[in-house]
Amino acid sequence: MCQVIAALQPPDAIVIDESLTSGGTYWDLSKGCPKFSHLTLTGGAIGSGIPMAIGAAMACPDRRVINLQ
């Protein structure tokens, strides 16, 4: 999953990452991606991914938002 996302994400994307273990490989795979914003969990909290993605999409309607759950 992470390999596909990193390969296809558009420039200036906003990546919301609440995936914890399943998204761990995304960090290394995204190093060659065009510039993007990467928002992650804080302090091990859960349940913030979908609301954060909705907020990012509303705040930046011109940017693609990708939510890793």
Side-chain angles (χ1 to χ4, degrees), residues 14-27:
I14 300 172
V15 178
I16 310 298
D17 188 355
E18 190 187 10
S19 59
L20 293 174
T21 55
S22 65
T25 59
Y26 179 78
W27 288 92

Side-chain angles (χ1 to χ4, degrees), residues 1-9 15-30 33 38 66-69:
M1 170 187 78
C2 292
Q3 187 174 18
V4 172
I5 292 169
L8 298 177
Q9 77 181 44
V15 178
I16 310 298
D17 188 355
E18 190 187 10
S19 59
L20 293 174
T21 55
S22 65
T25 59
Y26 179 78
W27 288 92
D28 288 332
L29 294 168
S30 66
C33 292
H38 193 173
I66 300 168
N67 184 24
L68 303 176
Q69 281 296 125

